[in-house]
Amino acid sequence: MIVEQQAFATFYEWVINNAAQFGIVVAAAIVLGVFFGYIVATLRHGPFEAFYVVAQVVGQALPDFINTSPRRVFAIARLAIKEALRRKIILVTFGIFAISLLFGGWFMNYKSDHPDRIYINFVMFGTQLLVLMMGMLISSFSLPEDIKNKTIYTVVTKPVRPTEIVIGKIVGFGILGTFLLVLMGSISYLFVWRGLSHDHLIAGDTQTLASFTEVGSDFRSQVTGERVSESAIRDAETNMKDDHNHRLELRVDIRDPDEPEPLQTSNIIETIELPDGRIEYHRVVCVSSAGHVHQVFVEGQGQDATISLGPSVGFFRARVPIYADELQFYDRQGQINEKGISVGRESRYRGYVDGGDYRNRSNLSKAEFTFTNFDASLFSATAEGETGFVPLELTLDVFRSYKGDIEKRVTAGIQFESIGQDVRFVSDMQDFETEEFSIQTVTIPRKLVGKVYSQDGSLLREGKFDLFDDYAKNGQLKLVLKCRDYNQYLGVAKADVYFRSGDHPYLLNFIKGYTGIWCQMMIIISLGVALSTFLSAPITMLGALVVIIIGFFSNFIQGMTAPDHVGGGPIESMIRVVTQQNMVLEMDTGVTTTLVKNIDLGLIYLLNATTYLAPDFSRLNFAEYLTYGYAINSQKVAIALTLTLAFCFGLTIVGYFALKTREIAK
Amino acid sequence: VNNRPLVRKIIYIACIGVLIIPLSMIALPPTRNEAGNTQSGVISQLRDEYNLSQAKLSEIDPASETMKLASLGLRGVAVNILWLQADEHKKNQNYDQLRSTLRALTKIQPSFVKVWEYQAHNLAYNVSMEFDDYEYRYSWVKKGLEFLKQGVPYNKRDHRVTDSIGFFTGNKFGKSDEHLSFRRLFRADNEFHDAMADRIDPEDYEGPYGHDSWMMAYQWYNLSRELVDVQGAPRYRSDMMFYMYRPAQRRNYGMALQEEFPSDQIIQEVYRDAYEEWIEYGNQPLTVGAGLNFTLEGLAAAEDELAEYRNQLDELVGPEVRASMLAELGDDLLSEEEQLLVNAPADQLSPDDARKAQAIRTRLASIDDRLDGRVALAASEGDRPEANRLALKIQGTKNKVRRIMQDAQTVNYPYWRARNRMESEDATVAAHQALEEAENVWRNSIYDDEYDFDYRTKEKTVTRKGAITLFEEAFARWAPILEENPELGDGQLADSLMDSVQEYRKMLAFANLEWPDDFPLQSLVDERAQDGTLDGIPTSEMLEQRKADREAIDGEATDPPAKKDVQAKLPATEQQRSEQRFELTIPIDEDQPKKQATGETKGNGD
């Protein structure tokens, strides 16, 4: 589950970091454009005449752009929409989308642990593919067809500027695409929602406690043989729906009279007052299965109370994580270890923390997360008051160096420390069993038991201290993660541990996700229009397709062109394939190898350069966030929109000059 | 003339129309007419005949067909992309996505059995072990099995799919490190049993202790058997291996129950069934390449046949011929030194000498092979054809005997035959129960007997037996069983017995007692001595040495002989032992550090 590979820059940081580069690229583009134009003009008119021609074209450009009339742009846009509608590409696209949704169920794996991920992936990928194809088709066929059929003359003979033609086309197709995207997005939303909504009944004769069975003495369900929670006394199963069912547990919750009432009361089936004044609550809890739970409702009290399950909870999430600013690993000796221990996993995403061994109990291996700007205002109501808590979510990987206790999960421990204060707050280690390959929530009480040390290390006092007001008084907090089982390892990456400040509305997140697709579509439409001003329709389409492919695989291509890529460049790889040589073996030294390697260097450089021709679509793709249920940061959306605007503007200029040089638009 | 293009188009359309008629007739899918007879086109018939793909309309999986069509002929490319994606998902530990990619992959190439097998193995073995929680591991094993089960309808006539499901079910639930936990979950997992119910009836693998994973494996192998034996599907394994798997599951079932529950009549019955089915397997005619037919049970018959043919040949040429030829050959071939080597007991030879002895035996066997041919040559002119015929028969039968012995060894036939028979006997159940009782008492750390001592009569009444006594009693029960079944001296049962012996040895050492002179399983211990895995248990040789030492000490003793008499008369073994402990000369731990180390590793590895 890798959502956030590395820390991302905020919008302002991004703009500041990239503004200079952007400026250089624009300047270089202008110089190259003028130079290229001059060469073309020289071939046509000779060197002296060319100078005037270029000057004239450049001179006209500025007024053309300044005097662009929105009214005329929209007129052209209206024409573009009409023309595209007449081509029926939109209709066909929508038809394919509808059919794929109708029969999508055939290809989807309902029996997944996370059906929501499969659904979202399916609709997002389908929409993206279809919308981009549509954008490519309508934009690349429009102008060349007009020119071929000479219908362009009915437009250019009117007082319109080339800018207006290019922008009008982009806007027109953009409006149409947006309309289609909104339609597809709404239907997708309904499709996902409908596909995932379901309810369950308790398996058994009645919908009461009578269908429950006593839990075995070893904390094992007698119904399924699975482990139950320690406070469970009875359990039952629900019926199967969409290839999954849930286990229901009757849990006991004993509270002191001075403790506050439980927050959730809808699932309390019995309240017993104990002789010593404490209150025992019996509540029915639904255990998570297929990535969700159901809220339990109880009508009545005691054995005859009717138990019912509400709609699923947990599918449509937009978690807002508060990530650490820094992650530092330490080895057993307490020395800094940059990437953590490697346990030999192919993916190097996570670093590992060592659990030590019984001969080496003072194990100093740990992962330290540093949070800055951490305060109570980031959290919603849960963190308030004396009994408030802060949800911490973790996605840990466990690596066992030996099987150990098979029926017990590996234990992890977390601890909080203050940074840079006059005194040092250190909380007690909080141990918990890890849950691999899922987002595990550990609730951190706001009042944490711990110790306070002075600067010289002497213990000042012990007691309960406030997470925000004491530990993170200056807004800085250190979270220490340790592996608490000997000879076992815990894998963690920076994005694996975060405080969950709350949830964003899912619909808003969904819209943000589709905004990413919209950005991609607009770039493709602009590209299609720009290319079609000087290329024929099939070539334009091919060009757009190449850009899409490069855009989507730019990371892959850059990976292949990295200096440490195993197997060498294209020719070397080909030689290895044909001669069946091992990828990691060095080639025999000699003239041929030197020659091949040098040619490869050139080819790799060229290949790498192509990735800069296309926008990095991974920056515009937010599907992963929706799939895994994380809120899409608005800064990211802003970056995507800015990137799109920059590309559209740049392509409009290209389109303008290209059209200008053609006789039709003079 | 002006309408030429139109005419041409009409001709084309007419041709297409005409061609469509035979085409549709050829490609007609099977349909049933009013009389109830099935009609189908030639292509469907051929498909059906060669089992090429789903020939009937109802069998066609629309999702699979759509995927194939949607790849627009680029099926190979699509498959490659999906495989890469699957690998990438596995690498990044996105196991959910891995599963859905595999689903798409198998929709595109549903009839490629190896894909199903390989990827199901990936899920059930490689992915499942990545999970820390054994319940998740269990659920991923199930996912692998359910995935593989989806491949059954696409490969209806391929027993390898059902075979693999059987193998994964048995192996993963019954033999992995977590097998006890897995089998416990399996018994209660009605959801899984329901999911499998469309192929195998859960009642068929439900025993007195609940649903059993080994018996589920049995049912899958049973499906393979039906497929091949009843429906005539092709077989992709040798006879010997193909027919071995199903009966093998029964004894695995028995062994698993023995590990989980106290020995009783139920387990005895399981072994009885296992024995009967193993014998059935032994009587199953097996065929190998060169048309050689045999059964594993037919060894004795084949040997009799061989002896009979040899007798006939000897009668034909005269009984003395063979003896003289053999003597001649033997004398010629074996030097005195070689003869010594061949006749020496195997355990007294150095590895180098053992190799030499083996080479000599091979040479002798080849002489023996040719001997019958030579004997036949000695026949008189008139008897020659008959003698040659007999020599040929002898050669054939000899091949058969060799083949049976070789195959029986491959599947460990005699061992399992003896084991199943032995386990289904009352004496063995009693022996198991005795050992289990001893182990229970040992686990509670009660080593010595508890007894009431009457001070007046000096009589001891044992009120509760300690682990040492119970172990000794249990071993005494095992000794005759092992004696009757020498095949069992090497194998899993002997290993577990040796584990108990080791526990017993540690107890003796702890209680400062000496190894008894008449240990019931001493012969088993001696056999094990050759592997070097004894870990301090004394062999007969050591006991002899101890006896000799003791006698020597007694002889040298300056004490008056009276003491000896007193000692000899002492009745209570404890007292005797406690005095003798000073004379302990058997090396237990200190003298064999190297052996101990190897023993320890092996012990853990089991």
Coordinates of all heavy atoms in Angstrom, one line a residue, chain B residues 213-267:
Chain B
S213 N -8.9 -31.7 6.6 CA -8.3 -31.2 5.4 C -7.7 -32.3 4.5 O -7.7 -32.3 3.3 CB -7.2 -30.2 5.7 OG -6.3 -30.8 6.6
W214 N -7.1 -33.4 5.2 CA -6.6 -34.5 4.4 C -7.6 -35.2 3.6 O -7.4 -35.6 2.5 CB -5.8 -35.5 5.3 CG -4.5 -34.9 5.8 CD1 -4.2 -34.6 7.1 CD2 -3.4 -34.7 5.0 NE1 -2.9 -34.2 7.1 CE2 -2.4 -34.2 5.9 CE3 -3.1 -34.8 3.7 CZ2 -1.1 -33.8 5.5 CZ3 -1.8 -34.4 3.2 CH2 -0.8 -34.0 4.1
M215 N -8.8 -35.3 4.2 CA -9.9 -36.0 3.5 C -10.5 -35.1 2.4 O -11.0 -35.6 1.4 CB -11.0 -36.4 4.5 CG -10.6 -37.6 5.3 SD -9.9 -39.0 4.3 CE -11.3 -39.6 3.6
M216 N -10.3 -33.8 2.6 CA -10.7 -33.0 1.5 C -9.8 -33.2 0.3 O -10.2 -33.3 -0.8 CB -10.7 -31.5 1.9 CG -11.2 -30.6 0.8 SD -10.8 -28.9 1.1 CE -12.4 -28.1 1.0
A217 N -8.5 -33.2 0.6 CA -7.5 -33.5 -0.4 C -7.8 -34.9 -1.1 O -7.7 -35.0 -2.3 CB -6.1 -33.6 0.2
Y218 N -8.2 -35.8 -0.3 CA -8.6 -37.1 -0.8 C -9.7 -37.0 -1.8 O -9.6 -37.6 -2.9 CB -9.1 -38.0 0.4 CG -9.6 -39.4 0.0 CD1 -8.7 -40.5 0.0 CD2 -10.9 -39.6 -0.4 CE1 -9.2 -41.7 -0.4 CE2 -11.4 -40.8 -0.8 CZ -10.5 -41.9 -0.8 OH -10.9 -43.1 -1.1
Q219 N -10.7 -36.2 -1.5 CA -11.8 -36.0 -2.4 C -11.4 -35.4 -3.7 O -11.9 -35.7 -4.8 CB -12.9 -35.1 -1.8 CG -13.6 -35.8 -0.6 CD -14.2 -37.1 -1.0 OE1 -14.7 -37.3 -2.1 NE2 -14.3 -38.0 0.0
W220 N -10.4 -34.4 -3.7 CA -9.9 -33.8 -4.9 C -9.2 -34.8 -5.8 O -9.4 -34.9 -7.0 CB -9.0 -32.6 -4.6 CG -9.8 -31.4 -4.1 CD1 -9.7 -30.9 -2.9 CD2 -10.7 -30.6 -4.9 NE1 -10.6 -29.8 -2.9 CE2 -11.1 -29.6 -4.1 CE3 -11.1 -30.6 -6.2 CZ2 -12.0 -28.6 -4.5 CZ3 -12.0 -29.7 -6.7 CH2 -12.4 -28.7 -5.8
Y221 N -8.4 -35.7 -5.1 CA -7.7 -36.7 -5.9 C -8.7 -37.7 -6.4 O -8.5 -38.3 -7.5 CB -6.7 -37.4 -5.0 CG -5.4 -36.6 -4.7 CD1 -5.0 -36.2 -3.5 CD2 -4.6 -36.3 -5.8 CE1 -3.9 -35.5 -3.2 CE2 -3.4 -35.6 -5.6 CZ -3.1 -35.2 -4.3 OH -1.9 -34.5 -4.1
N222 N -9.8 -37.9 -5.7 CA -10.8 -38.8 -6.1 C -11.4 -38.2 -7.4 O -11.7 -39.0 -8.4 CB -11.9 -38.9 -5.1 CG -12.8 -40.0 -5.3 OD1 -12.4 -41.1 -5.9 ND2 -14.1 -39.9 -5.0
L223 N -11.6 -36.9 -7.5 CA -12.1 -36.3 -8.7 C -11.2 -36.6 -9.9 O -11.6 -36.9 -11.0 CB -12.3 -34.8 -8.5 CG -13.5 -34.3 -7.8 CD1 -13.6 -32.8 -7.8 CD2 -14.8 -34.9 -8.4
S224 N -9.9 -36.5 -9.6 CA -8.9 -36.8 -10.7 C -9.0 -38.2 -11.1 O -9.0 -38.4 -12.4 CB -7.5 -36.6 -10.1 OG -7.3 -35.3 -9.8
R225 N -9.2 -39.1 -10.2 CA -9.4 -40.5 -10.5 C -10.6 -40.7 -11.4 O -10.5 -41.4 -12.4 CB -9.5 -41.4 -9.3 CG -8.2 -41.6 -8.6 CD -7.4 -42.7 -9.2 NE -7.9 -44.0 -8.8 CZ -7.4 -44.7 -7.7 NH1 -6.4 -44.2 -7.0 NH2 -7.8 -45.9 -7.4
E226 N -11.7 -40.1 -11.0 CA -12.9 -40.2 -11.8 C -12.7 -39.7 -13.2 O -13.2 -40.3 -14.2 CB -14.1 -39.5 -11.2 CG -14.8 -40.3 -10.1 CD -15.8 -39.5 -9.4 OE1 -16.3 -38.5 -9.9 OE2 -16.1 -39.9 -8.3
L227 N -12.0 -38.6 -13.3 CA -11.8 -37.9 -14.6 C -11.1 -38.9 -15.5 O -11.4 -39.0 -16.7 CB -11.0 -36.7 -14.3 CG -11.0 -35.6 -15.3 CD1 -12.4 -35.0 -15.4 CD2 -10.1 -34.4 -14.9
V228 N -10.0 -39.5 -15.0 CA -9.2 -40.3 -15.8 C -9.8 -41.7 -16.0 O -10.0 -42.2 -17.1 CB -7.8 -40.5 -15.2 CG1 -7.0 -41.5 -15.9 CG2 -7.1 -39.1 -15.2
D229 N -10.3 -42.3 -14.9 CA -10.7 -43.7 -15.0 C -12.1 -43.8 -15.6 O -12.4 -44.7 -16.4 CB -10.7 -44.4 -13.6 CG -9.3 -44.6 -13.1 OD1 -8.4 -44.4 -13.9 OD2 -9.2 -45.0 -12.0
V230 N -13.0 -42.9 -15.2 CA -14.4 -43.0 -15.7 C -14.6 -42.2 -17.0 O -15.1 -42.7 -18.0 CB -15.4 -42.5 -14.6 CG1 -16.8 -42.7 -15.1 CG2 -15.2 -43.3 -13.3
Q231 N -14.1 -41.0 -17.0 CA -14.4 -40.2 -18.2 C -13.3 -40.3 -19.3 O -13.4 -39.6 -20.3 CB -14.5 -38.7 -17.8 CG -15.7 -38.5 -16.9 CD -15.7 -37.1 -16.3 OE1 -15.3 -36.1 -17.0 NE2 -16.2 -36.9 -15.1
G232 N -12.3 -41.0 -19.0 CA -11.2 -41.3 -20.0 C -10.4 -40.1 -20.4 O -9.9 -40.0 -21.5
A233 N -10.2 -39.2 -19.4 CA -9.4 -38.0 -19.7 C -7.9 -38.5 -19.8 O -7.5 -39.5 -19.2 CB -9.5 -37.0 -18.6
P234 N -7.1 -37.7 -20.5 CA -5.7 -38.1 -20.6 C -5.0 -38.0 -19.3 O -5.4 -37.2 -18.4 CB -5.0 -37.1 -21.6 CG -6.0 -36.0 -21.6 CD -7.3 -36.5 -21.3
R235 N -3.9 -38.8 -19.1 CA -3.2 -38.8 -17.8 C -1.8 -38.2 -18.0 O -1.1 -38.6 -18.9 CB -3.1 -40.2 -17.3 CG -3.2 -40.3 -15.8 CD -3.0 -41.7 -15.3 NE -1.9 -42.3 -15.9 CZ -2.0 -43.5 -16.5 NH1 -3.1 -44.2 -16.4 NH2 -0.9 -44.0 -17.1
Y236 N -1.5 -37.3 -17.1 CA -0.2 -36.6 -17.3 C 0.8 -37.1 -16.2 O 1.8 -36.4 -16.0 CB -0.4 -35.1 -17.1 CG -1.3 -34.5 -18.2 CD1 -2.6 -34.3 -18.0 CD2 -0.8 -34.2 -19.5 CE1 -3.5 -33.8 -18.9 CE2 -1.6 -33.7 -20.4 CZ -2.9 -33.5 -20.2 OH -3.7 -33.0 -21.2
R237 N 0.6 -38.2 -15.6 CA 1.5 -38.7 -14.6 C 1.7 -40.2 -14.8 O 0.9 -40.8 -15.4 CB 0.9 -38.5 -13.2 CG 1.2 -37.2 -12.6 CD 1.2 -37.4 -11.1 NE 1.8 -36.2 -10.4 CZ 1.0 -35.3 -9.8 NH1 -0.3 -35.5 -9.7 NH2 1.6 -34.3 -9.2
S238 N 2.8 -40.7 -14.3 CA 3.0 -42.2 -14.4 C 1.9 -42.9 -13.6 O 1.4 -42.3 -12.6 CB 4.3 -42.6 -13.9 OG 4.4 -42.4 -12.5
D239 N 1.6 -44.1 -13.9 CA 0.5 -44.9 -13.2 C 0.8 -44.9 -11.7 O 0.0 -44.6 -10.9 CB 0.6 -46.3 -13.7 CG -0.2 -46.5 -15.0 OD1 -0.8 -45.4 -15.4 OD2 -0.3 -47.6 -15.5
M240 N 2.1 -45.2 -11.4 CA 2.5 -45.4 -10.1 C 2.2 -44.1 -9.2 O 1.6 -44.2 -8.1 CB 4.0 -45.7 -10.0 CG 4.5 -45.8 -8.6 SD 6.3 -45.9 -8.7 CE 6.8 -44.3 -9.3
M241 N 2.6 -42.9 -9.7 CA 2.3 -41.7 -9.0 C 0.9 -41.3 -9.0 O 0.3 -40.9 -8.0 CB 3.2 -40.6 -9.6 CG 4.6 -40.8 -9.5 SD 5.2 -41.2 -7.8 CE 5.2 -39.7 -7.0
F242 N 0.2 -41.5 -10.1 CA -1.2 -41.0 -10.3 C -2.1 -41.8 -9.3 O -2.9 -41.2 -8.6 CB -1.7 -41.2 -11.7 CG -3.1 -40.8 -11.9 CD1 -3.4 -39.5 -11.9 CD2 -4.1 -41.8 -12.0 CE1 -4.7 -39.1 -12.1 CE2 -5.4 -41.4 -12.1 CZ -5.7 -40.1 -12.2
Y243 N -1.9 -43.1 -9.2 CA -2.8 -43.9 -8.3 C -2.3 -43.8 -6.8 O -3.1 -44.2 -6.0 CB -2.8 -45.3 -8.8 CG -3.6 -45.4 -10.1 CD1 -2.9 -45.7 -11.3 CD2 -5.0 -45.2 -10.1 CE1 -3.6 -45.8 -12.5 CE2 -5.7 -45.3 -11.3 CZ -5.0 -45.6 -12.5 OH -5.7 -45.6 -13.7
M244 N -1.1 -43.3 -6.6 CA -0.6 -43.3 -5.2 C -1.3 -42.2 -4.4 O -1.5 -42.4 -3.2 CB 0.9 -43.1 -5.3 CG 1.6 -43.3 -4.0 SD 1.8 -41.7 -3.1 CE 2.9 -40.8 -4.2
Y245 N -1.6 -41.1 -5.0 CA -2.0 -39.9 -4.2 C -3.2 -40.1 -3.3 O -3.3 -39.8 -2.2 CB -2.1 -38.7 -5.0 CG -0.7 -38.1 -5.3 CD1 -0.2 -38.1 -6.6 CD2 0.0 -37.5 -4.3 CE1 1.1 -37.6 -6.8 CE2 1.2 -37.0 -4.6 CZ 1.8 -37.0 -5.8 OH 3.0 -36.5 -6.1
R246 N -4.3 -40.7 -4.0 CA -5.5 -40.8 -3.2 C -5.4 -41.6 -2.0 O -5.7 -41.2 -0.9 CB -6.7 -41.3 -4.2 CG -8.0 -41.0 -3.6 CD -9.1 -41.6 -4.4 NE -9.1 -43.1 -4.3 CZ -10.0 -43.9 -4.9 NH1 -10.9 -43.3 -5.7 NH2 -10.0 -45.2 -4.7
P247 N -4.9 -42.9 -2.1 CA -4.8 -43.7 -0.9 C -3.9 -43.1 0.2 O -4.1 -43.3 1.4 CB -4.3 -45.0 -1.3 CG -3.8 -44.8 -2.7 CD -4.5 -43.7 -3.3
A248 N -2.9 -42.3 -0.3 CA -1.9 -41.7 0.7 C -2.6 -40.8 1.6 O -2.1 -40.6 2.7 CB -0.8 -41.0 -0.1
Q249 N -3.7 -40.1 1.1 CA -4.3 -39.1 2.0 C -5.0 -39.7 3.2 O -5.1 -39.1 4.2 CB -5.4 -38.3 1.2 CG -4.9 -37.7 -0.1 CD -3.6 -37.0 0.1 OE1 -3.5 -36.1 1.0 NE2 -2.6 -37.3 -0.8
R250 N -5.4 -41.0 3.1 CA -6.0 -41.6 4.2 C -5.1 -41.8 5.4 O -5.4 -41.6 6.5 CB -6.6 -43.0 3.8 CG -7.9 -42.9 3.0 CD -8.7 -44.1 3.2 NE -9.9 -44.1 2.3 CZ -11.1 -43.6 2.7 NH1 -11.2 -43.1 3.9 NH2 -12.1 -43.6 1.9
R251 N -3.9 -42.3 5.1 CA -2.9 -42.4 6.2 C -2.5 -41.1 6.7 O -2.2 -41.0 7.9 CB -1.7 -43.3 5.8 CG -0.9 -42.7 4.7 CD 0.5 -43.1 4.7 NE 1.2 -42.3 3.8 CZ 1.5 -42.6 2.5 NH1 1.1 -43.7 1.9 NH2 2.2 -41.7 1.7
N252 N -2.4 -40.1 5.9 CA -2.1 -38.7 6.4 C -3.1 -38.3 7.3 O -2.9 -37.6 8.4 CB -2.0 -37.7 5.2 CG -0.7 -37.9 4.4 OD1 0.3 -38.4 4.9 ND2 -0.8 -37.6 3.1
Y253 N -4.4 -38.6 7.0 CA -5.5 -38.3 7.9 C -5.3 -39.0 9.2 O -5.4 -38.3 10.3 CB -6.8 -38.8 7.1 CG -8.1 -38.7 7.9 CD1 -8.4 -37.7 8.7 CD2 -9.1 -39.7 7.7 CE1 -9.6 -37.6 9.4 CE2 -10.3 -39.6 8.3 CZ -10.5 -38.6 9.2 OH -11.8 -38.5 9.8
G254 N -5.0 -40.2 9.2 CA -4.7 -41.0 10.4 C -3.6 -40.3 11.2 O -3.8 -40.1 12.4
M255 N -2.5 -40.0 10.6 CA -1.4 -39.5 11.3 C -1.7 -38.1 11.9 O -1.3 -37.8 13.0 CB -0.2 -39.4 10.4 CG 0.4 -40.7 10.0 SD 2.1 -40.6 9.3 CE 1.7 -40.0 7.7
A256 N -2.5 -37.3 11.1 CA -2.9 -36.0 11.6 C -3.7 -36.1 12.9 O -3.6 -35.4 13.9 CB -3.6 -35.2 10.6
L257 N -4.7 -37.1 12.8 CA -5.6 -37.3 14.0 C -4.8 -37.7 15.2 O -5.0 -37.3 16.3 CB -6.7 -38.3 13.6 CG -7.7 -37.8 12.7 CD1 -8.8 -38.9 12.5 CD2 -8.4 -36.5 13.1
Q258 N -3.8 -38.6 14.9 CA -2.9 -39.1 16.0 C -2.2 -38.0 16.7 O -2.0 -38.0 17.9 CB -1.9 -40.1 15.4 CG -2.2 -41.5 15.7 CD -1.3 -42.4 15.0 OE1 -0.4 -42.0 14.2 NE2 -1.4 -43.7 15.3
E259 N -1.8 -37.0 15.9 CA -1.1 -35.9 16.5 C -2.0 -35.0 17.3 O -1.6 -34.4 18.3 CB -0.5 -35.1 15.3 CG 0.6 -34.1 15.8 CD 1.1 -33.2 14.7 OE1 0.7 -33.4 13.5 OE2 1.9 -32.4 15.0
E260 N -3.3 -34.9 16.9 CA -4.2 -33.9 17.5 C -5.1 -34.5 18.6 O -5.5 -33.8 19.5 CB -5.1 -33.3 16.4 CG -4.4 -32.5 15.5 CD -5.1 -32.2 14.2 OE1 -6.1 -32.9 13.9 OE2 -4.7 -31.3 13.5
F261 N -5.4 -35.8 18.5 CA -6.3 -36.4 19.5 C -5.7 -37.7 20.1 O -4.8 -38.3 19.5 CB -7.6 -36.8 18.8 CG -8.3 -35.6 18.2 CD1 -8.2 -35.4 16.8 CD2 -9.0 -34.7 18.9 CE1 -8.8 -34.3 16.2 CE2 -9.6 -33.6 18.3 CZ -9.5 -33.4 17.0
P262 N -6.2 -38.1 21.3 CA -5.7 -39.3 21.9 C -6.1 -40.5 21.0 O -7.1 -40.5 20.4 CB -6.4 -39.4 23.2 CG -7.2 -38.2 23.4 CD -7.2 -37.4 22.1
S263 N -5.2 -41.5 20.9 CA -5.5 -42.7 20.1 C -6.7 -43.4 20.6 O -7.0 -43.5 21.7 CB -4.3 -43.6 20.2 OG -3.2 -43.1 19.6
D264 N -7.5 -43.8 19.6 CA -8.8 -44.5 19.9 C -9.2 -45.3 18.7 O -8.5 -45.4 17.7 CB -9.8 -43.5 20.3 CG -10.1 -42.5 19.2 OD1 -9.6 -42.6 18.1 OD2 -10.8 -41.5 19.5
Q265 N -10.4 -45.9 18.8 CA -10.9 -46.8 17.8 C -11.1 -46.0 16.5 O -11.0 -46.6 15.4 CB -12.2 -47.5 18.2 CG -12.0 -48.8 18.9 CD -11.5 -48.6 20.3 OE1 -11.8 -47.6 20.9 NE2 -10.8 -49.6 20.8
I266 N -11.5 -44.7 16.6 CA -11.7 -43.9 15.4 C -10.5 -43.9 14.5 O -10.5 -44.2 13.3 CB -12.2 -42.5 15.8 CG1 -13.5 -42.6 16.5 CG2 -12.3 -41.6 14.5 CD1 -13.9 -41.3 17.2
I267 N -9.4 -43.6 15.2 CA -8.1 -43.5 14.4 C -7.7 -44.9 13.9 O -7.3 -45.0 12.7 CB -7.0 -42.9 15.3 CG1 -7.5 -41.5 15.7 CG2 -5.7 -42.9 14.6 CD1 -6.5 -40.8 16.7

